[in-house]
Amino acid sequence: MASGQKIPARMTAIAISVPGGPRVLKPETRDVPQPGPGEILIKVHAAGVNRPDVQQRKGAYPPPPGASDLPGLEVSGEVAALGDEISRWRIGDRVCALTPGGGYAEYVKVHSGSVLPLPAGFTHTEAAAVPENYFTVWHNVFERGALKKGETLLVHGGSSGIGTTAIQLASAFGAYVITTAGSKEKCDACLKLGADRAINYREEDFVTAVKEATDGKGATVILDMVGGDYVQRNYEAAAVEGRIVQIAVQAGAVASADFSKIMVKRLTHTGSTLRPRTVEFKAAIAAALEAQVWPLLGTRKVAPVMDMIYPLTDAWRAHERMEEGEHIGKIVLDVG
């Protein structure tokens, strides 16, 4: 293992003491992880907060085999040490990375294929808000959903980290973007980011609104993190040959739906999770992002929307903020 400045043996991390509410997130001292072949050790400066972290804290989303039990799926920082078989990265490189866990800590080890350079001009807190959302949106909207220029994307939860990312990327690549959100403030934020139509789902039926916005055609691609009764409504709102991509089921994983809509409209309903996928799969997404999206980030044509930044030891407050549902964009932990 190659390392630069002296790396301490121990570090501060935020652990889940028992499954439960935000206050179960407790600082503790852990051994600094050691990178193996193909891995790098990152000195973390900032870590993104995501809904899967909340689910893990509650005991509903266990880490995949071999991953850290600490929450945290994305970080930014500096390369502190290199395992064997690393050719691209050097000690001191400023990077951001997708992690299978362990991001709520002063150091984290990550497979090199999930690491990307800091986008030009980005701070560490901004860069920590990029990997989880951009990996997720790129794969699900542009690869699995196959969104193309001139097509219509409906994204539910437009003011979330995923939603704000999907709006910006779809708009940048020439799609017509419709989104749902739960307040006028959130709808206004979505419109400022490039959405062509923002639907307040508390006041409007999104199926009717989507049909009106598309002259009755419906949405070509639907990115859904709701599930539940949205499944049937998505079938109604989708265009002929539409693609519905499921990335979460916040309103429930079980639903009743009229499957004849799939046949009549020739719909595709697919879905995916990112965390348990192979390092090779994630490396392929990273390469596509660096080629297609990093230039847009470098010119600020797209950028993460920042909500709140909390110190690492106040991770419980960040989780409270997320569960309150009032945030617009990303919540980030400042690790130092």
Side-chain angles (χ1 to χ4, degrees), residues 19-195:
R23 292 281 188 166
V24 306
L25 294 172
K26 304 286 188 181
E28 64 177 47
T29 302
R30 292 271 187 109
D31 290 338
V32 171
Q34 301 297 304
E39 295 178 331
I40 69 171
L41 181 71
I42 297 175
K43 178 176 173 53
V44 179
H45 289 302
V49 176
N50 294 281
R51 198 160 293 277
D53 303 340
V54 173
Q55 294 302 106
Q56 180 177 338
R57 190 202 73 222
K58 293 178 177 178
Y61 192 46
S68 170
D69 66 314
L70 300 173
L73 301 178
E74 58 185 347
V75 300
S76 70
E78 297 177 27
V79 176
L82 304 170
D84 295 334
E85 303 171 13
I86 300 295
S87 58
R88 175 177 182 179
W89 303 107
R90 299 289 182 268
I91 304 298
D93 283 349
R94 301 172 75 238
V95 296
C96 59
L98 186 75
T99 80
Y104 290 16
E106 293 179 309
Y107 289 87
V108 65
K109 68 175 182 178
V110 183
H111 191 275
S112 62
S114 296
V115 180
L116 286 159
L118 235 65
F122 271 47
T123 65
H124 279 294
T125 49
E126 289 176 315
V130 170
E132 173 71 11
N133 288 165
Y134 280 76
F135 273 72
T136 298
V137 169
W138 184 262
H139 174 60
N140 288 288
V141 174
F142 295 95
E143 294 181 343
R144 189 166 291 276
L147 182 69
K148 299 177 181 61
K149 181 178 180 179
E151 292 185 329
T152 297
L153 171 69
L154 169 62
V155 54
H156 292 300
S159 61
S160 66
I162 291 286
T164 55
T165 302
I167 289 168
Q168 292 182 78
L169 283 180
S171 179
F173 285 99
Y176 182 86
V177 182
I178 305 172
T179 187
T180 61
S183 70
K184 183 180 184 302
E185 178 189 13
K186 290 182 176 181
C187 285
D188 288 345
C190 292
L191 292 171
K192 288 180 181 178
L193 289 172

